[in-house]
Every structure is written in C-alpha cells, then in structure tokens.
Amino acid sequence: QAKAQGKARYQIFDTQMHHHAQQRLELDTDLRRALHREEFLLYYQPIISLATGRINGFEALLRWSHPQKGLISPGEFIPAAEETGLIIPIGLWVLKEACQQLKAWQNQALFKHPIKMSVNLSVKQFSQVNLIQNIDKIILQTQLNSSYLKLEITESAIMENPESATELLQQLRDREIQLSIDDFGTGYSSLSYLHRFPLHNLKIDRSFIHRISETRQNLEIIQAIITLAHHLNMTITAEGVETAEQLSLLRSLGCEEGQGYYFARPLEPNAAQALLLDNPHW
Ligand code: C2E
Ligand code: MG
Ligand code: MG
Ligand code: MG
C-alpha cells in the first residue's frame, strides 16, 4: 500500500513539475516577444536628500506592460529572465533607456542641481564578461556623463566572485560611475567585508526601516550600519521610508538619503518629470 501511495504521490509531483516547466517555457517565450515588441517600460522612484529635502535622483524600476495581463512587477519575471539569460538583453535595454531619460531631462533643464539615475544590475549581468564594454557603448550612445549614473548591485552578486567583483567595481569607479550596494542586510552580509570593495553608497533594506521604531535594538542596528558606512566613506540610503516618524529618526541618525512611499511611489516617466518640475521639498 505504501508503495502505491508513493507512486501516486510521485505522479502528482511529476504533473506539478511538468506544469511548472510548461509555465516557465511560456513565460520565456512571452519575455522574448516582449523584448522584441518593446513591452517593457521604466518607472522612476525619487531618492531624497534628507539634509535638503530635495530630489537627489531616481531609481529606474522595470515594468512589463503585458498585452493581456496588464502591468507586471519585476518580481514576477526577473527570476525567470535570470534563469534563461534573457536578463542580459533586458538589462541592457533598461540601462540605455534610463540613461536616455536622464539625458532628456538634463537637456530640458528641468532641475538646477545635478540629478542621478540609479539602475539595478542582476547577478548574471554583473558576472557578464563584456559588461564594461556594453556600459561604455551606452554612455557613448546616450552622451550621458557617466558620473550621473549609479549602479545598484546586491551583496550576492559581489560575493559570488569577490576577486573579479573588486576588479569590475574598480573599472566602473574609474569611469566615475557611482556604486551602491542594494538591499543591504538581506544577504549573508557581514559588515566586515565591506571595506574590501570600492563602493560609494549603501542602501539599507526596507525590512530594517520597517522595524526601526519597534525596539531600541533595531534603531541601534541601523545606527551601527550608518556609523560603519561613514567610517568607510560611504553614504547611506534608507529604502522603504513610509512614515514621517521613520523619516525623522533617519534624519536624526545622520542618514543621507531616503526612498519610499512616504515621498513617492515609482512613477511613470511623465509623472516623474512633473515631480521634477514641481521641485518638492520634504
Ligand atoms: P529594489 O532594487 O530594492 O527596488 C525597490 C523596490 O521597493 C521596488 O519594487 C519599489 O517599488 C519598492 N518600494 C519602494 N518604496 C517602497 C516602500 O515605501 N514600501 C514598500 N513596501 N516598497 C517600496 P519593484 O519595483 O517591484 O522592484 C522589485 C525588485 O526588482 C527591485 O528591488 C530590484 O531588485 C528588481 N528590479 C527592478 N527593476 C530592475 C531592473 O531593471 N533590473 C534588475 N536586474 N532588477 C530590477
Ligand atoms: Mg534597487
Ligand atoms: Mg533595493
Ligand atoms: Mg529592497
């Protein structure tokens, strides 16, 4: 009887596997078509200077405008794109689009102080051999001054191969491209490795910000991260700022920047442009 049960279970498992594989295949086909038909678009979420209350820059966030399913979030398709390698051409599209957008805003002189554009790099993109050449090409094509470009890299992308990561980061730094470590605190982060990498900025993951006022300990952890980063000449950006209380605590801790729904959600290009023109002050 146990044997029969085992077999039945195996069959269910097998059917589910098959279903999953089929869904993946469909998603892959869909994603290829999406790239081809230009169904991707970027939303832009402002990053605020906590000292001045003004917009320091934007983070470009990928969306997929699916003809049947509507707007799809990156969490739903980036893992698949990462698996199949499609993230490489998609990521290059993102980089070029974001650089082009910032250049267009600069050309229209929509702001007086310099605004930066942050772009996320996936693990696979970061380990791709011709990343530097591709970035150089995009900088050349879009005519954006590379010091306005900021790249967000996760701890896991760096820790996968620390030696080659160090070299790559240095090459990017030589081009004056700004380097951020994204979602800090979610990986197998040990604060001790940070000094080995030439990074400019550290983004504290929103799970820490969410808990900031819960206990004295949470506040102290954030304080420790900020202090350490400052010792290493890095600035701090708090992700997921949602309340005035979080903002004021972060300000009192000397955190340089904030990003989150309290300021603005990720915005369509036109809405982001309107916000720039509006020049709000928090
Ligand atoms: P991320 O880089 O950490 O981006 C921040 C995410 O937090 C965004 O989700 C943003 O909408 C969300 N967020 C911002 N403020 C708040 C807040 O106050 N509360 C809450 N609950 N969430 C907030 P989104 O746009 O869904 O992106 C999710 C992730 O997908 C990103 O996390 C990033 O890892 C990845 N991603 C997005 N665009 C790209 C891309 O172009 N390339 C790559 N490789 N990854 C991307
Ligand atoms: Mg990011
Ligand atoms: Mg992040
Ligand atoms: Mg995050």
Side-chain angles (χ1 to χ4, degrees), residues 214-276:
E214 270 174 24
T215 63
R216 167 114 215 118
Q217 253 173 336
N218 287 328
L219 195 73
E220 279 166 0
I221 289 170
I222 296 176
Q223 171 92 77
I225 296 174
I226 293 176
T227 304
L228 178 88
H230 285 169
H231 275 300
L232 299 174
N233 279 322
M234 294 170 76
T235 59
I236 297 277
T237 307
E239 298 187 318
V241 180
E242 293 186 354
T243 69
E245 188 195 7
Q246 291 165 352
L247 171 59
S248 92
L249 284 171
L250 288 162
R251 267 196 172 120
S252 71
L253 293 177
C255 175
E256 280 86 2
E257 293 182 325
Q259 177 181 358
Y261 297 167
Y262 179 76
F263 305 107
R265 292 192 172 245
L267 303 165
E268 286 179 65
N270 283 338
Q273 177 164 329
L275 191 72
L276 265 179

Side-chain angles (χ1 to χ4, degrees), residues 15-177:
T15 314
Q16 279 174 348
M17 288 264 287
H18 183 72
H19 183 66
H20 179 74
Q22 204 170 334
Q23 276 188 328
R24 262 298 151 88
L25 195 66
E26 268 171 39
L27 184 56
D28 183 53
T29 315
D30 258 23
L31 279 170
R32 277 173 207 283
R33 201 183 298 140
L35 195 59
H36 204 67
R37 294 189 185 163
E38 302 179 39
E39 290 170 4
F40 293 112
L41 49 121
L42 294 181
Y43 272 37
Y44 299 96
Q45 187 177 34
I47 297 172
I48 311 314
S49 156
L50 299 193
T52 66
R54 304 282 183 195
I55 296 175
N56 260 358
F58 286 92
E59 178 174 1
L61 294 161
L62 185 60
R63 300 289 181 265
W64 176 10
S65 172
H66 192 285
Q68 280 90 40
K69 297 173 193 157
L71 211 58
I72 305 180
S73 295
E76 290 179 53
F77 62 89
I78 284 188
E82 182 94 1
E83 253 178 57
T84 60
L86 259 186
I87 191 66
I88 300 293
I90 295 174
L92 289 174
W93 178 85
V94 170
L95 203 54
K96 187 168 178 190
E97 181 72 18
C99 290
Q100 245 163 13
Q101 181 61 82
L102 183 60
K103 185 69 188 176
W105 285 336
Q106 287 177 345
N107 286 343
Q108 294 171 62
L110 291 178
F111 42 85
K112 293 185 188 74
H113 62 288
I115 297 273
K116 294 204 163 73
M117 182 62 80
S118 297
V119 175
N120 292 286
L121 284 191
S122 74
V123 175
K124 212 170 219 156
Q125 272 182 290
F126 192 67
S127 62
Q128 203 220 355
V129 280
N130 30 7
L131 178 66
I132 289 281
Q133 288 94 309
N134 284 328
I135 289 177
D136 283 343
K137 201 164 117 192
I138 287 170
I139 291 291
L140 200 71
Q141 285 172 336
T142 60
Q143 295 284 300
L144 182 77
N145 181 323
S146 53
S147 65
Y148 296 124
L149 177 61
K150 225 167 164 169
L151 297 177
E152 298 193 358
I153 302 143
T154 57
E155 297 165 70
S156 30
I158 293 178
M159 294 316 280
E160 204 174 67
N161 190 342
E163 271 76 44
S164 63
T166 310
E167 203 175 304
L168 184 53
L169 292 170
Q170 192 54 54
Q171 284 178 291
L172 293 166
R173 211 185 155 101
D174 291 343
R175 287 157 172 77
E176 291 186 75
I177 292 171

